[in-house]
Amino acid sequence: MNMHTPPRSNGRGKGDGSRKPNRTPKGRQIDPQALEEVRALLTDRPRRRDLLIEHLHLIQDHYGYLSAAHLTALAAEMKLALTEVYEVATFYSHFDVVKDGPPPPAVTVRVCDSLSCAMAGAEKLLATLPSKLGQNVRVVRAPCMGACDRAPVVAVGHLQTYKATPEAVAADVRANKHAHAWKPTADFAGYQKAGGYALLKDCLSGKRTRDELIKTVSDAGLRGLGGAGFPTGRKWSLVRAEPSPRMFAVNADEGEPGTFKDRFYLERDPHRFIEGMLIAAWVVEAPETYLYIRDEYPELRLMLAEEMAKVEAAGLSLHTKLHLRRGAGAYICGEESAMIESIEGKRGLPRHRPPYVAQVGLFGRPTLEQNVETLFWVRDIVEKGAGWMTAQGRKERNGFRSFSVSGRVKKPGVVLAPAGVTARELIEEFCGGMTEGHVFKGYLPGGASGGILPASMADEPLDFGTLEKYGCFVGSHAVVILSDRDDMKAVALNLMKFFEDESCGQCTPCRAGTEKAVKLMAQGPWDASLLTELSATMRDASICGLGQAAPNPLLCVLKYFPEELTKPLGTW
């Protein structure tokens, strides 16, 4: 620059190179009162990024919603960008984010509108409850709450009302029961007296070897029972082959419509699960274990926190540090990599693979991921031997399976049945037959994503690998029974709406595909060619199983129920 050339103006000063300060600071400013309120809630808790969702829950539980002022204060306190906090808070459906408007009503009533509840009258509840409960209560739709055998289900705050009626829900609201959560009891001392934790102690003392346990569960044919069915012994070996330190993440986020078996086992025998979890952590030598449980099960979360503390106090978990993490209403977090993202305090977006979770998982470390029911059976299999499990089964299938059965049967619930049992056998032998006045028409063999089969195919064995040739699968073994009173197009539309709502939005084929499918299915008449083409795109190009499996019910209706296509869309 020539020494006599005047400095250029920056557009903010007077042309002399000086910078004029902004008249108003950029972005949202920290409210001192909100900051003090956030600090009072956090107390001495660590401000680590992976605890973001836990801290959001603290604020939500205390105030009933997340204000912009509190989010801004939390971001400052955790030294995070506000956008990082905001994107997480708005991703999960159980967080109520209020930017500038009035707070939501003190009581929120969530009505499950997933398939089993829809069949039991959820739409009538949604139509009736607003006028019944008044303006100070908010009534919203909600996805499956894991109580399909007691449909319809309504959550008043965190308290679930089973087989709900408008009168029962109104009574719960008046009684202020939304402020409390029922907590099941657990008997730590009684479990120990009956032989509980003896196997774990044998492992920790060296009486058992890791290779011995891997061989036993492999010989028994134990598989991942959350849906994928990956052999457990093989998974343990793969993770053990990775460099240490290794991590362990336990998936208690069963959100598949029709599935409630994990809840069943945790309510009835939680320490059998906890012992299996501690044994698996010992096998893969994981110094830290994270149990991720869905927010729809507050009573189980409170109970597990107490029981895990007792286990720690008894010195049974010295080999692995236990962490309990709370979901916030996101079905996608049942996918293993999305769950890991959530544990790390992020949005539950599935990761691209490879690398797989067993190689690069939680906090970038090799990670064992297991389902609740898989761990529940570890103790019995090792103590009783592999033959105890393989001796059971039908139609050349080995072992047993826990089926969550709901829908048009007299006795819905969790059924422990031989592997290879058929839908017809489940109905007639285990569930007391069809509901009075209903004729068996079809069934979902594996929850919302497992497809739909007609009653004429109800003699196929229900097990891993038996239904894929028909475009279906058993997944988490959630069986929903349909009758002649159910419109198959309405069933498929209900399921597609679920996937539309629960899509994480990361990939276009799933995000846009589910939305487009819902519109095409709802407006009718169904264009089979167009819907098939759209389904192929979703299956081929979606990142994870949600988008890949979402078209299954739709395609099954096109294939197995063609006579329904010309009928007007039905309702319940």
Side-chain angles (χ1 to χ4, degrees):
M1 176 188 294
N2 188 302
M3 292 183 63
H4 299 287
T5 304
R8 294 182 181 178
S9 170
N10 60 13
R12 296 175 182 169
K14 300 178 180 179
D16 59 358
S18 63
R19 177 167 180 165
K20 194 173 183 179
N22 293 320
R23 293 184 179 180
T24 56
K26 291 184 177 181
R28 287 189 179 270
Q29 300 307 295
I30 300 171
D31 182 328
Q33 180 179 345
L35 183 60
E36 287 304 311
E37 290 169 347
V38 167
R39 286 173 174 169
L41 289 173
L42 296 185
T43 60
D44 60 349
R45 293 177 175 86
R47 270 58 168 173
R48 299 195 316 267
R49 169 59 196 262
D50 63 288
L51 292 173
L52 173 58
I53 294 173
E54 296 296 310
H55 296 344
L56 288 170
H57 275 303
L58 283 173
I59 300 171
Q60 171 92 21
D61 290 346
H62 186 81
Y63 292 99
Y65 66 101
L66 299 173
S67 68
H70 284 139
L71 291 177
T72 304
L74 180 63
E77 187 67 11
M78 296 186 69
K79 295 182 172 56
L80 295 172
L82 178 56
T83 184
E84 292 181 89
V85 175
Y86 185 78
E87 71 178 6
V88 171
T90 54
F91 179 85
Y92 296 92
S93 64
H94 286 193
F95 290 140
D96 287 317
V97 178
V98 177
K99 291 182 67 176
D100 299 302
V107 180
T108 295
V109 172
R110 291 183 169 88
V111 180
C112 175
D113 66 354
S114 290
L115 184 57
S116 296
C117 286
M119 293 162 63
E123 293 300 326
K124 293 179 181 177
L125 285 171
L126 283 162
T128 306
L129 284 176
S131 59
K132 185 83 173 178
L133 301 179
Q135 295 182 349
N136 295 325
V137 178
R138 178 176 55 167
V139 179
V140 298
R141 293 177 179 271
C144 186
M145 298 178 186
C148 316
D149 54 331
R150 293 166 278 187
V153 184
V154 172
V156 181
H158 277 311
L159 176 77
Q160 291 186 6
T161 302
Y162 306 127
K163 298 185 178 181
T165 63
E167 293 72 26
V169 175
D172 283 346
V173 171
R174 287 195 302 270
N176 198 35
K177 288 187 178 181
H178 65 280
H180 309 284
W182 168 77
K183 185 178 64 178
T185 58
D187 188 359
F188 177 46
Y191 180 78
Q192 286 185 298
K193 288 180 182 178
Y197 292 109
L199 175 59
L200 174 64
K201 292 176 182 177
D202 285 350
C203 293
L204 298 176
S205 67
K207 292 182 180 179
R208 300 272 190 169
T209 68
R210 293 176 172 86
D211 289 340
E212 174 189 353
L213 264 66
I214 290 174
K215 184 178 187 306
T216 301
V217 299
S218 297
D219 291 345
L222 181 63
R223 308 178 72 157
L225 298 171
F230 194 87
T232 301
R234 185 180 171 197
K235 180 180 281 191
W236 288 359
S237 296
L238 288 172
V239 174
R240 273 180 51 78
E242 296 294 326
S244 59
R246 309 174 194 100
M247 309 298 284
F248 185 18
V250 181
N251 191 340
D253 192 57
E254 58 174 359
E256 181 81 9
T259 304
F260 46 91
K261 61 184 178 61
D262 289 351
R263 180 183 201 163
F264 175 87
Y265 286 119
L266 287 174
E267 285 178 347
R268 285 154 181 79
D269 201 351
H271 282 284
R272 194 171 299 270
F273 155 72
I274 294 173
E275 183 171 9
M277 177 174 67
L278 292 172
I279 290 171
W282 171 80
V283 169
V284 299
E285 299 177 85
E288 294 190 70
T289 297
Y290 286 78
L291 172 56
Y292 185 90
I293 187 165
R294 65 187 311 211
D295 199 33
E296 288 83 352
Y297 296 169
E299 70 285 357
L300 291 179
R301 176 175 51 82
L302 294 171
M303 179 268 290
L304 286 169
E306 286 190 7
E307 299 310 309
M308 287 163 61
K310 293 176 184 176
V311 166
E312 290 177 321
L316 295 171
S317 62
L318 297 177
H319 60 294
T320 186
K321 182 173 177 56
L322 299 177
H323 305 269
L324 184 61
R325 291 295 174 84
R326 177 180 174 185
Y331 164 73
I332 192 62
C333 289
E335 195 275 340
E336 61 178 5
S337 64
M339 178 187 71
I340 284 173
E341 290 286 300
S342 189
I343 292 173
E344 293 180 357
K346 306 171 189 174
R347 294 174 294 166
L349 302 181
R351 297 177 179 177
H352 292 270
R353 289 171 286 187
Y356 296 94
V357 165
Q359 301 164 312
V360 181
L362 190 56
F363 305 119
R365 302 305 310 166
T367 302
L368 173 67
E369 189 273 341
Q370 297 270 234
N371 160 263
V372 166
E373 193 200 351
T374 302
L375 299 171
F376 184 88
W377 295 117
V378 167
R379 175 192 163 190
D380 289 281
I381 289 172
V382 176
E383 287 185 343
K384 299 176 182 179
W388 167 73
M389 189 169 187
T390 57
Q392 306 178 62
R394 295 180 181 179
K395 298 175 180 64
E396 300 181 353
R397 313 300 296 186
N398 294 324
F400 52 78
R401 301 285 183 264
S402 299
F403 293 89
S404 304
V405 186
S406 62
R408 310 299 191 182
V409 291
K410 289 181 180 177
K411 296 191 300 181
V414 173
V415 171
L416 187 63
V421 70
T422 69
R424 198 179 310 278
E425 290 168 340
L426 282 176
I427 295 170
E428 297 174 356
E429 295 181 35
F430 296 91
C431 297
M434 294 292 293
T435 302
E436 201 69 38
H438 289 258
V439 178
F440 183 29
K441 180 178 180 179
Y443 64 104
L444 278 63
S449 55
I452 309 173
L453 290 173
S456 60
M457 297 176 67
D459 296 312
E460 295 293 327
L462 299 178
D463 202 11
F464 297 112
T466 62
L467 302 178
E468 279 74 2
K469 58 187 175 183
Y470 304 118
C472 299
F473 53 80
V474 294
S476 59
H477 293 78
V479 179
V480 183
I481 304 300
L482 308 170
S483 79
D484 56 336
R485 301 189 188 182
D486 299 313
D487 182 299
M488 293 299 128
K489 291 200 298 182
V491 169
L493 178 58
N494 176 280
L495 300 174
M496 188 62 77
K497 285 182 177 179
F498 169 80
F499 290 123
E500 178 192 20
D501 291 340
E502 295 298 324
S503 173
C504 74
Q506 180 179 191
C507 68
T508 302
C510 177
R511 181 187 66 250
T514 53
E515 180 184 6
K516 185 65 174 178
V518 165
K519 290 181 179 178
L520 292 173
M521 295 166 71
Q523 69 187 20
W526 282 22
D527 185 329
S529 177
L530 181 57
L531 288 169
T532 300
E533 182 181 357
L534 176 61
S535 298
T537 301
M538 293 170 63
R539 280 182 159 182
D540 294 342
S542 295
I543 290 173
C544 80
L546 191 154
Q548 294 164 9
N552 286 348
L554 157 64
L555 293 172
C556 285
V557 171
L558 293 176
K559 183 176 182 180
Y560 299 115
F561 301 92
E563 70 282 357
E564 303 254 339
L565 300 182
T566 57
K567 299 178 182 178
L569 184 65
T571 57
W572 287 286

